[in-house]
Amino acid sequence: MHTEEDAAGPEGLVVTEKDGESEQLKAKDAVQYLHCAESLCPETWRCSCLSARSYADFTSEASFEIKKCDTHKLDEAPATQVVMTRDEGLQYYRTMQIMRRMELKADQLYKQKIIRGFCHLYDGQEACAVGIEAAINLSDHLITAYRAHGYTYTRGGTVKEIMAELTGRRGGIAKGKGGSMHMYCKHFYGGNGIVGAQVPLGAGVALACKYQGRNELCVCLYGDGAANQGQIFETYNMAALWKLPVIFICENNRYGMGTSVERAAASTDYFKRGEFIPGLRVDGMDILCVREATRFAADHCRSGKGPILMELQTYRYHGHSMSDPGVSYRTREEIQEVRSKSDPISLLKDRMLSNNMASEIDVEVRKEIEDASLFATTDPEPPLEELCNHIYHNNPTIEVRGTNPWSKLKSLS
Amino acid sequence: MAAATRFFVRGASPRLSLSSVCAGTQGSVGANLLKLSPSCVSRIKTHRRHAAHFTYQPDPVPTQYGPTQKMNLFQSVTSALDNTLASDPTAVIFGEDVAFGGVFRCTVGLRDKYGKDRVFNTPLCEQGIVGFGIGVAVAGATAIAEIQFADYIFPAFDQIVNEAAKYRYRSGNLFDCGNLTIRAPWGCVGHGSLYHSQSPEAFFAHCPGLKVVIPRGPVQAKGLLLSCISDKNPCIFFEPKILYRAAVEQVPVDAYTIPLSQAEVLQEGSDVTLLAWGTQSVVKTGRLLISHEAPVTGGFAAEISSTVQEECFLNLEAPISRVCGYDTPFPHIFEPFYIPDKWKCLEAIKKMINY
């Protein structure tokens, strides 16, 4: 379907947005339309207000003031004056929009029972994933817990693969065998269901990085609920003792499922919980804060100083999972307040608009999400032979005992 | 197949300490297909396509325990806990999210009724929850710990197996944590995937010093849970989560106990014995079929099978049949193929009869 818009301005500029091609500016005088996610009409995905400016009028980069981070056992802190280029801004914006729309689409499909099982959505926390990725390389490593769709995307998964994994089809990123909580791709170790269990793994990955001498680091994420697990503290000790290049990141979205942080933790200063590990507390709704802090942390690790801990103060709009309405332990007013004052996509948009980096930008992500959703719904499920594949590594193939002695399936690996 | 089946199960020996329980569910559908005696016909229900792989058959109303009320499984658990908190002033209930009622509503209303010092939340730390529970129990209070899903019990495995189970033995009966009961939702639920569907009873059955109990319905659940709480040994009580809402029965309102370490005979017959727990079904004679959701290798069926053939080898007409889960992690999308449902049990029964 064609969404073509002609807008002629004083210099005779034309904007054309064909589906899926909005990012390709055909002529240097094409105009871009920037939109706040919330003002988009849900049916047509078009904004009602448009205006055109010349491409040449936009600033290519600008300097921004960001919040200072609280520090723990650190003499320096991340910079508070940062530079962002227009291209970077547009890229962050598009990525966050894709993540937001992807999560909302997953919500829709879940309610239609096309996605079943457990589904933990990431909307509201986009700045964390995008900001972290902006400060590290794809050759670095990352591991997180079960709220992983966003990270799967920033680490290189496509929306198609992610959605097909949610619906459990063979085109899914884990061949349909993992589901929402178990998505993986290169240098991204998931996607882990058991709370806190991924943190020692992250330290292990960091050890391997250090051992192999490739100047890579590992970003190891967990939530405010997991911060009370014993294995986290075991990991802090090992990482500090052996000076592992690991960035521990606590995504504090204020609620561990339905329990607010005050009711679960003796100390809610999660950035200080590493005690002997230096820490930073970062505004997780501002992508530039996250990026700057992660850059600081990455420098710290790569210079051989050992681990560092970051607490990202963020918020999730959805409940813990799709079976949690999300309003029995917090008020709708609170959610609305965060949405209106601190939404990461809006914050970035405001920054770009007020610094003349773009005027009204309409990012056409709809087609990508729709295509992915169609693929996810129509792709066939994995064949039954997959049930027993990849339990072990085995050569030659082994037989897996089944429900009866006479029913055995082959396991290829 | 117009033979009547006699249900007979040897009582499980106390050392095994497993309450084998029988569900009438598959028994009735099996009865339908095997054309069994009229006493089974009353339990036949038509097969409907459900999210669950069976239709729950309620027990007849128990009359020996006093007035009854219609309850489902989670309500019968709440009722048992209510009785306990009322009669035992040292009883405390704790776990993740139990204060508001629990993710499966098993503890609804208890905090309001008995106070926040008796029903309280713990942070997210299973090892801590069980370790803490052991301490509470050893010091003389009745501790009822909840682990949110049986799949999450593994961080606490060391505490349960090394501390709780061995306390009495290693202290020469000076100390014990018999006052500890651990409850956890258990088993497949249709969409649980790898980490919300596991059946870890075999890991704990292997450990002397523990009792592992799995009910098949609300009446059983309340009685068995009350027995676990009063039992002077640490008990793990697994609650089949798929039955929380699906299983509805008339449950006695007052406290009552059902003895542990004794199998229950559900239905008499003469050809085959089926033995199971939780959501599987039971029938036997001369031929034994054991069924459970957990993977077949090393599952508890292996232990029962081995003991039975040791003790009544010459009575066996056919090899003991085990209809269990595949030796894979609990699958995400393949769940309908994985679970040992009534069709697989039926096929196994036919093969045994024709052996």
Short mmCIF file of all heavy atoms in Angstrom, two decimals, chain A residues 106-160:
data_model
loop_
_atom_site.label_atom_id
_atom_site.label_comp_id
_atom_site.label_asym_id
_atom_site.label_seq_id
_atom_site.Cartn_x
_atom_site.Cartn_y
_atom_site.Cartn_z
N ALA A 106 3.38 -7.49 19.37
CA ALA A 106 3.39 -8.75 20.12
C ALA A 106 2.24 -8.77 21.11
O ALA A 106 1.60 -9.81 21.31
CB ALA A 106 4.73 -8.91 20.86
N ASP A 107 1.96 -7.64 21.72
CA ASP A 107 0.81 -7.53 22.63
C ASP A 107 -0.47 -7.90 21.90
O ASP A 107 -1.28 -8.68 22.38
CB ASP A 107 0.75 -6.08 23.15
CG ASP A 107 -0.49 -5.79 23.97
OD1 ASP A 107 -1.57 -5.63 23.38
OD2 ASP A 107 -0.38 -5.73 25.20
N GLN A 108 -0.62 -7.32 20.69
CA GLN A 108 -1.82 -7.60 19.89
C GLN A 108 -1.93 -9.08 19.57
O GLN A 108 -2.98 -9.70 19.73
CB GLN A 108 -1.65 -6.83 18.58
CG GLN A 108 -2.91 -6.24 18.01
CD GLN A 108 -2.57 -5.49 16.73
OE1 GLN A 108 -1.96 -6.04 15.82
NE2 GLN A 108 -2.95 -4.25 16.68
N LEU A 109 -0.83 -9.67 19.09
CA LEU A 109 -0.86 -11.08 18.70
C LEU A 109 -1.12 -11.98 19.91
O LEU A 109 -1.76 -13.01 19.80
CB LEU A 109 0.46 -11.48 18.03
CG LEU A 109 0.72 -10.88 16.66
CD1 LEU A 109 2.11 -11.31 16.16
CD2 LEU A 109 -0.33 -11.31 15.66
N TYR A 110 -0.61 -11.57 21.07
CA TYR A 110 -0.85 -12.37 22.26
C TYR A 110 -2.32 -12.39 22.61
O TYR A 110 -2.89 -13.42 22.97
CB TYR A 110 -0.03 -11.83 23.44
CG TYR A 110 0.03 -12.77 24.60
CD1 TYR A 110 1.10 -13.65 24.74
CD2 TYR A 110 -0.96 -12.80 25.57
CE1 TYR A 110 1.17 -14.53 25.80
CE2 TYR A 110 -0.91 -13.68 26.62
CZ TYR A 110 0.16 -14.54 26.74
OH TYR A 110 0.23 -15.41 27.80
N LYS A 111 -2.94 -11.20 22.49
CA LYS A 111 -4.37 -11.13 22.83
C LYS A 111 -5.20 -11.91 21.84
O LYS A 111 -6.30 -12.36 22.17
CB LYS A 111 -4.82 -9.67 22.90
CG LYS A 111 -4.28 -9.00 24.15
CD LYS A 111 -4.59 -7.52 24.24
CE LYS A 111 -4.08 -7.02 25.59
NZ LYS A 111 -3.71 -5.61 25.57
N GLN A 112 -4.68 -12.10 20.62
CA GLN A 112 -5.38 -12.93 19.64
C GLN A 112 -5.01 -14.40 19.79
O GLN A 112 -5.42 -15.22 18.99
CB GLN A 112 -5.00 -12.50 18.21
CG GLN A 112 -5.48 -11.12 17.84
CD GLN A 112 -4.87 -10.65 16.53
OE1 GLN A 112 -3.96 -11.28 15.99
NE2 GLN A 112 -5.35 -9.55 16.03
N LYS A 113 -4.21 -14.69 20.82
CA LYS A 113 -3.78 -16.06 21.11
C LYS A 113 -2.94 -16.67 20.01
O LYS A 113 -2.83 -17.89 19.91
CB LYS A 113 -4.97 -16.98 21.41
CG LYS A 113 -5.75 -16.52 22.63
CD LYS A 113 -6.54 -17.65 23.23
CE LYS A 113 -7.55 -17.10 24.20
NZ LYS A 113 -7.56 -17.37 25.52
N ILE A 114 -2.32 -15.82 19.19
CA ILE A 114 -1.39 -16.36 18.20
C ILE A 114 -0.03 -16.57 18.86
O ILE A 114 0.72 -17.48 18.53
CB ILE A 114 -1.27 -15.40 17.00
CG1 ILE A 114 -2.65 -15.27 16.34
CG2 ILE A 114 -0.25 -15.88 15.99
CD1 ILE A 114 -2.72 -14.20 15.29
N ILE A 115 0.28 -15.71 19.81
CA ILE A 115 1.44 -15.96 20.67
C ILE A 115 0.89 -16.51 21.97
O ILE A 115 -0.06 -15.97 22.53
CB ILE A 115 2.21 -14.66 20.95
CG1 ILE A 115 2.78 -14.07 19.67
CG2 ILE A 115 3.34 -14.91 21.95
CD1 ILE A 115 3.49 -12.74 19.85
N ARG A 116 1.48 -17.58 22.45
CA ARG A 116 1.02 -18.16 23.72
C ARG A 116 2.21 -18.31 24.65
O ARG A 116 3.35 -18.17 24.25
CB ARG A 116 0.36 -19.51 23.48
CG ARG A 116 -0.90 -19.40 22.65
CD ARG A 116 -1.66 -20.69 22.67
NE ARG A 116 -2.28 -20.89 23.98
CZ ARG A 116 -2.34 -22.07 24.57
NH1 ARG A 116 -1.84 -23.13 24.01
NH2 ARG A 116 -2.92 -22.17 25.76
N GLY A 117 1.89 -18.65 25.87
CA GLY A 117 2.98 -18.88 26.81
C GLY A 117 3.32 -17.58 27.52
O GLY A 117 2.44 -16.80 27.84
N PHE A 118 4.56 -17.36 27.78
CA PHE A 118 4.97 -16.19 28.53
C PHE A 118 5.56 -15.16 27.61
O PHE A 118 6.28 -15.48 26.68
CB PHE A 118 5.96 -16.61 29.62
CG PHE A 118 5.30 -17.49 30.65
CD1 PHE A 118 5.25 -18.85 30.47
CD2 PHE A 118 4.68 -16.93 31.75
CE1 PHE A 118 4.60 -19.66 31.39
CE2 PHE A 118 4.04 -17.73 32.68
CZ PHE A 118 4.00 -19.10 32.50
N CYS A 119 5.21 -13.91 27.85
CA CYS A 119 5.66 -12.85 26.96
C CYS A 119 5.90 -11.61 27.81
O CYS A 119 4.96 -11.05 28.36
CB CYS A 119 4.57 -12.59 25.91
SG CYS A 119 5.11 -11.55 24.57
N HIS A 120 7.15 -11.20 27.93
CA HIS A 120 7.50 -10.07 28.77
C HIS A 120 7.92 -8.91 27.88
O HIS A 120 8.92 -8.99 27.18
CB HIS A 120 8.66 -10.44 29.70
CG HIS A 120 8.41 -11.68 30.49
ND1 HIS A 120 8.68 -12.94 30.00
CD2 HIS A 120 7.89 -11.87 31.72
CE1 HIS A 120 8.34 -13.84 30.91
NE2 HIS A 120 7.86 -13.22 31.96
N LEU A 121 7.13 -7.83 27.91
CA LEU A 121 7.35 -6.76 26.94
C LEU A 121 8.21 -5.64 27.48
O LEU A 121 8.21 -5.34 28.67
CB LEU A 121 5.99 -6.21 26.48
CG LEU A 121 5.14 -7.28 25.78
CD1 LEU A 121 3.77 -6.71 25.43
CD2 LEU A 121 5.82 -7.78 24.53
N TYR A 122 8.90 -5.02 26.53
CA TYR A 122 9.98 -4.10 26.87
C TYR A 122 9.63 -2.64 26.65
O TYR A 122 10.47 -1.78 26.86
CB TYR A 122 11.19 -4.50 26.01
CG TYR A 122 12.52 -3.97 26.46
CD1 TYR A 122 13.10 -4.39 27.65
CD2 TYR A 122 13.23 -3.06 25.67
CE1 TYR A 122 14.33 -3.91 28.06
CE2 TYR A 122 14.47 -2.58 26.07
CZ TYR A 122 15.01 -3.01 27.26
OH TYR A 122 16.24 -2.55 27.65
N ASP A 123 8.39 -2.34 26.26
CA ASP A 123 8.12 -0.95 25.88
C ASP A 123 8.22 -0.03 27.09
O ASP A 123 7.74 -0.32 28.16
CB ASP A 123 6.75 -0.81 25.20
CG ASP A 123 5.62 -1.39 25.99
OD1 ASP A 123 5.80 -2.48 26.56
OD2 ASP A 123 4.55 -0.77 26.05
N GLY A 124 8.87 1.08 26.88
CA GLY A 124 9.19 2.03 27.94
C GLY A 124 10.68 2.00 28.24
O GLY A 124 11.26 2.99 28.67
N GLN A 125 11.31 0.86 28.01
CA GLN A 125 12.71 0.71 28.37
C GLN A 125 13.64 0.77 27.15
O GLN A 125 14.81 0.42 27.25
CB GLN A 125 12.93 -0.63 29.09
CG GLN A 125 12.16 -0.73 30.39
CD GLN A 125 12.46 -2.01 31.17
OE1 GLN A 125 11.60 -2.55 31.83
NE2 GLN A 125 13.67 -2.50 31.13
N GLU A 126 13.10 1.23 26.01
CA GLU A 126 13.90 1.19 24.77
C GLU A 126 15.23 1.91 24.87
O GLU A 126 16.22 1.49 24.26
CB GLU A 126 13.13 1.81 23.59
CG GLU A 126 11.89 1.08 23.17
CD GLU A 126 10.68 1.50 23.95
OE1 GLU A 126 10.83 2.34 24.86
OE2 GLU A 126 9.59 1.00 23.66
N ALA A 127 15.25 3.01 25.62
CA ALA A 127 16.49 3.80 25.67
C ALA A 127 17.64 2.98 26.23
O ALA A 127 18.80 3.19 25.86
CB ALA A 127 16.29 5.05 26.51
N CYS A 128 17.34 2.04 27.10
CA CYS A 128 18.40 1.22 27.68
C CYS A 128 19.08 0.38 26.61
O CYS A 128 20.29 0.45 26.42
CB CYS A 128 17.83 0.28 28.76
SG CYS A 128 17.10 1.15 30.14
N ALA A 129 18.28 -0.40 25.88
CA ALA A 129 18.88 -1.29 24.89
C ALA A 129 19.62 -0.51 23.81
O ALA A 129 20.75 -0.84 23.44
CB ALA A 129 17.81 -2.17 24.26
N VAL A 130 18.96 0.54 23.32
CA VAL A 130 19.57 1.28 22.21
C VAL A 130 20.78 2.06 22.68
O VAL A 130 21.81 2.12 22.02
CB VAL A 130 18.52 2.19 21.55
CG1 VAL A 130 19.11 2.95 20.39
CG2 VAL A 130 17.34 1.37 21.07
N GLY A 131 20.68 2.64 23.86
CA GLY A 131 21.81 3.41 24.39
C GLY A 131 23.02 2.53 24.65
O GLY A 131 24.15 2.91 24.36
N ILE A 132 22.78 1.35 25.21
CA ILE A 132 23.90 0.45 25.48
C ILE A 132 24.57 0.05 24.18
O ILE A 132 25.79 0.10 24.03
CB ILE A 132 23.42 -0.80 26.25
CG1 ILE A 132 23.00 -0.42 27.66
CG2 ILE A 132 24.50 -1.86 26.29
CD1 ILE A 132 22.29 -1.52 28.40
N GLU A 133 23.76 -0.36 23.22
CA GLU A 133 24.33 -0.82 21.95
C GLU A 133 25.09 0.29 21.26
O GLU A 133 26.08 0.03 20.58
CB GLU A 133 23.20 -1.36 21.05
CG GLU A 133 23.69 -2.18 19.88
CD GLU A 133 24.48 -3.41 20.29
OE1 GLU A 133 24.04 -4.14 21.19
OE2 GLU A 133 25.55 -3.63 19.70
N ALA A 134 24.64 1.52 21.44
CA ALA A 134 25.33 2.64 20.79
C ALA A 134 26.74 2.83 21.32
O ALA A 134 27.58 3.42 20.67
CB ALA A 134 24.53 3.93 21.00
N ALA A 135 26.99 2.34 22.52
CA ALA A 135 28.30 2.57 23.13
C ALA A 135 29.22 1.37 23.07
O ALA A 135 30.37 1.46 23.47
CB ALA A 135 28.10 2.97 24.60
N ILE A 136 28.70 0.24 22.60
CA ILE A 136 29.58 -0.94 22.48
C ILE A 136 29.60 -1.37 21.03
O ILE A 136 28.94 -0.79 20.19
CB ILE A 136 29.11 -2.11 23.38
CG1 ILE A 136 27.70 -2.56 23.02
CG2 ILE A 136 29.20 -1.73 24.85
CD1 ILE A 136 27.25 -3.81 23.77
N ASN A 137 30.39 -2.38 20.76
CA ASN A 137 30.47 -2.90 19.39
C ASN A 137 29.71 -4.20 19.30
O ASN A 137 29.50 -4.87 20.29
CB ASN A 137 31.93 -3.17 19.01
CG ASN A 137 32.81 -2.00 19.32
OD1 ASN A 137 32.48 -0.85 19.05
ND2 ASN A 137 33.95 -2.26 19.95
N LEU A 138 29.38 -4.58 18.07
CA LEU A 138 28.72 -5.88 17.89
C LEU A 138 29.65 -7.02 18.27
O LEU A 138 29.21 -8.13 18.55
CB LEU A 138 28.24 -6.05 16.45
CG LEU A 138 26.86 -5.47 16.15
CD1 LEU A 138 26.52 -5.63 14.69
CD2 LEU A 138 25.78 -6.15 16.99
N SER A 139 30.95 -6.74 18.30
CA SER A 139 31.89 -7.80 18.68
C SER A 139 31.96 -7.98 20.19
O SER A 139 32.53 -8.95 20.68
CB SER A 139 33.28 -7.50 18.15
OG SER A 139 33.69 -6.23 18.64
N ASP A 140 31.39 -7.04 20.94
CA ASP A 140 31.27 -7.25 22.38
C ASP A 140 30.15 -8.21 22.65
O ASP A 140 29.42 -8.61 21.76
CB ASP A 140 31.01 -5.91 23.09
CG ASP A 140 32.21 -4.99 23.05
OD1 ASP A 140 33.33 -5.49 23.26
OD2 ASP A 140 32.03 -3.78 22.79
N HIS A 141 30.00 -8.60 23.91
CA HIS A 141 29.02 -9.64 24.25
C HIS A 141 27.97 -9.06 25.18
O HIS A 141 28.23 -8.12 25.92
CB HIS A 141 29.74 -10.81 24.94
CG HIS A 141 30.89 -11.34 24.16
ND1 HIS A 141 30.81 -12.50 23.43
CD2 HIS A 141 32.13 -10.86 23.97
CE1 HIS A 141 31.98 -12.71 22.83
NE2 HIS A 141 32.79 -11.73 23.14
N LEU A 142 26.79 -9.66 25.13
CA LEU A 142 25.70 -9.17 25.99
C LEU A 142 24.83 -10.33 26.44
O LEU A 142 24.57 -11.26 25.67
CB LEU A 142 24.86 -8.14 25.22
CG LEU A 142 23.87 -7.30 26.03
CD1 LEU A 142 23.83 -5.86 25.53
CD2 LEU A 142 22.48 -7.89 25.97
N ILE A 143 24.40 -10.26 27.68
CA ILE A 143 23.49 -11.29 28.17
C ILE A 143 22.47 -10.61 29.07
O ILE A 143 22.79 -9.68 29.80
CB ILE A 143 24.24 -12.41 28.93
CG1 ILE A 143 23.30 -13.56 29.30
CG2 ILE A 143 24.92 -11.89 30.18
CD1 ILE A 143 24.01 -14.79 29.80
N THR A 144 21.23 -11.07 28.97
CA THR A 144 20.21 -10.45 29.80
C THR A 144 19.23 -11.52 30.28
O THR A 144 19.41 -12.71 30.05
CB THR A 144 19.50 -9.32 29.03
OG1 THR A 144 18.55 -8.69 29.88
CG2 THR A 144 18.78 -9.84 27.81
N ALA A 145 18.16 -11.06 30.94
CA ALA A 145 17.17 -12.00 31.48
C ALA A 145 16.07 -12.22 30.45
O ALA A 145 16.32 -12.27 29.26
CB ALA A 145 16.63 -11.46 32.79
N TYR A 146 14.83 -12.29 30.88
CA TYR A 146 13.78 -12.72 29.97
C TYR A 146 13.10 -11.60 29.22
O TYR A 146 12.35 -11.84 28.28
CB TYR A 146 12.72 -13.50 30.77
CG TYR A 146 12.35 -12.81 32.05
CD1 TYR A 146 11.49 -11.72 32.04
CD2 TYR A 146 12.89 -13.23 33.25
CE1 TYR A 146 11.17 -11.06 33.20
CE2 TYR A 146 12.57 -12.57 34.43
CZ TYR A 146 11.71 -11.49 34.40
OH TYR A 146 11.41 -10.84 35.55
N ARG A 147 13.35 -10.35 29.60
CA ARG A 147 12.69 -9.23 28.91
C ARG A 147 13.60 -8.84 27.76
O ARG A 147 14.19 -7.75 27.73
CB ARG A 147 12.45 -8.07 29.88
CG ARG A 147 11.32 -7.14 29.46
CD ARG A 147 11.05 -6.09 30.53
NE ARG A 147 10.59 -6.68 31.77
CZ ARG A 147 9.35 -7.08 32.00
NH1 ARG A 147 8.44 -6.92 31.06
NH2 ARG A 147 9.02 -7.62 33.15
N ALA A 148 13.73 -9.74 26.80
CA ALA A 148 14.88 -9.72 25.90
C ALA A 148 14.58 -9.36 24.46
O ALA A 148 15.51 -9.34 23.67
CB ALA A 148 15.55 -11.11 25.93
N HIS A 149 13.34 -9.09 24.09
CA HIS A 149 13.06 -8.86 22.68
C HIS A 149 13.86 -7.67 22.14
O HIS A 149 14.38 -7.68 21.03
CB HIS A 149 11.58 -8.59 22.42
CG HIS A 149 10.68 -9.63 23.00
ND1 HIS A 149 9.33 -9.41 23.20
CD2 HIS A 149 10.89 -10.89 23.43
CE1 HIS A 149 8.78 -10.48 23.72
NE2 HIS A 149 9.70 -11.39 23.86
N GLY A 150 13.93 -6.61 22.96
CA GLY A 150 14.64 -5.41 22.51
C GLY A 150 16.11 -5.68 22.26
O GLY A 150 16.67 -5.27 21.24
N TYR A 151 16.73 -6.40 23.17
CA TYR A 151 18.16 -6.69 23.02
C TYR A 151 18.41 -7.61 21.84
O TYR A 151 19.41 -7.50 21.16
CB TYR A 151 18.72 -7.29 24.32
CG TYR A 151 18.80 -6.27 25.41
CD1 TYR A 151 17.82 -6.21 26.40
CD2 TYR A 151 19.84 -5.34 25.44
CE1 TYR A 151 17.88 -5.24 27.38
CE2 TYR A 151 19.91 -4.38 26.43
CZ TYR A 151 18.92 -4.34 27.40
OH TYR A 151 18.97 -3.39 28.37
N THR A 152 17.50 -8.54 21.61
CA THR A 152 17.67 -9.42 20.44
C THR A 152 17.73 -8.58 19.18
O THR A 152 18.53 -8.84 18.28
CB THR A 152 16.50 -10.42 20.34
OG1 THR A 152 16.18 -10.92 21.63
CG2 THR A 152 16.83 -11.56 19.42
N TYR A 153 16.91 -7.53 19.14
CA TYR A 153 16.91 -6.69 17.95
C TYR A 153 18.20 -5.88 17.86
O TYR A 153 18.84 -5.83 16.80
CB TYR A 153 15.69 -5.76 17.97
CG TYR A 153 15.59 -4.91 16.75
CD1 TYR A 153 15.30 -5.47 15.51
CD2 TYR A 153 15.84 -3.54 16.81
CE1 TYR A 153 15.25 -4.69 14.38
CE2 TYR A 153 15.78 -2.76 15.67
CZ TYR A 153 15.49 -3.34 14.46
OH TYR A 153 15.45 -2.57 13.33
N THR A 154 18.60 -5.24 18.96
CA THR A 154 19.79 -4.39 18.87
C THR A 154 21.06 -5.22 18.62
O THR A 154 22.03 -4.73 18.07
CB THR A 154 20.00 -3.54 20.14
OG1 THR A 154 19.98 -4.38 21.28
CG2 THR A 154 18.92 -2.48 20.26
N ARG A 155 21.02 -6.45 19.01
CA ARG A 155 22.21 -7.29 18.82
C ARG A 155 22.28 -7.92 17.43
O ARG A 155 23.22 -8.65 17.14
CB ARG A 155 22.23 -8.41 19.87
CG ARG A 155 22.57 -7.93 21.24
CD ARG A 155 24.01 -8.16 21.60
NE ARG A 155 24.86 -7.01 21.40
CZ ARG A 155 26.19 -7.06 21.37
NH1 ARG A 155 26.81 -8.19 21.50
NH2 ARG A 155 26.87 -5.96 21.19
N GLY A 156 21.26 -7.68 16.63
CA GLY A 156 21.36 -8.15 15.25
C GLY A 156 20.23 -9.04 14.79
O GLY A 156 20.20 -9.43 13.62
N GLY A 157 19.29 -9.38 15.65
CA GLY A 157 18.16 -10.18 15.18
C GLY A 157 17.23 -9.32 14.34
O GLY A 157 17.19 -8.10 14.51
N THR A 158 16.49 -9.92 13.42
CA THR A 158 15.53 -9.14 12.64
C THR A 158 14.15 -9.27 13.28
O THR A 158 13.89 -10.22 14.02
CB THR A 158 15.43 -9.66 11.20
OG1 THR A 158 14.94 -11.00 11.25
CG2 THR A 158 16.77 -9.63 10.50
N VAL A 159 13.30 -8.32 12.98
CA VAL A 159 11.96 -8.33 13.57
C VAL A 159 11.23 -9.61 13.16
O VAL A 159 10.51 -10.22 13.95
CB VAL A 159 11.16 -7.09 13.14
CG1 VAL A 159 9.81 -7.07 13.84
CG2 VAL A 159 11.91 -5.83 13.47
N LYS A 160 11.46 -10.03 11.93
CA LYS A 160 10.82 -11.26 11.43
C LYS A 160 11.19 -12.46 12.30
O LYS A 160 10.34 -13.23 12.74
CB LYS A 160 11.35 -11.54 10.01
CG LYS A 160 10.35 -11.45 8.93
CD LYS A 160 10.96 -11.93 7.64
CE LYS A 160 10.02 -11.57 6.51
NZ LYS A 160 10.55 -11.83 5.21
#
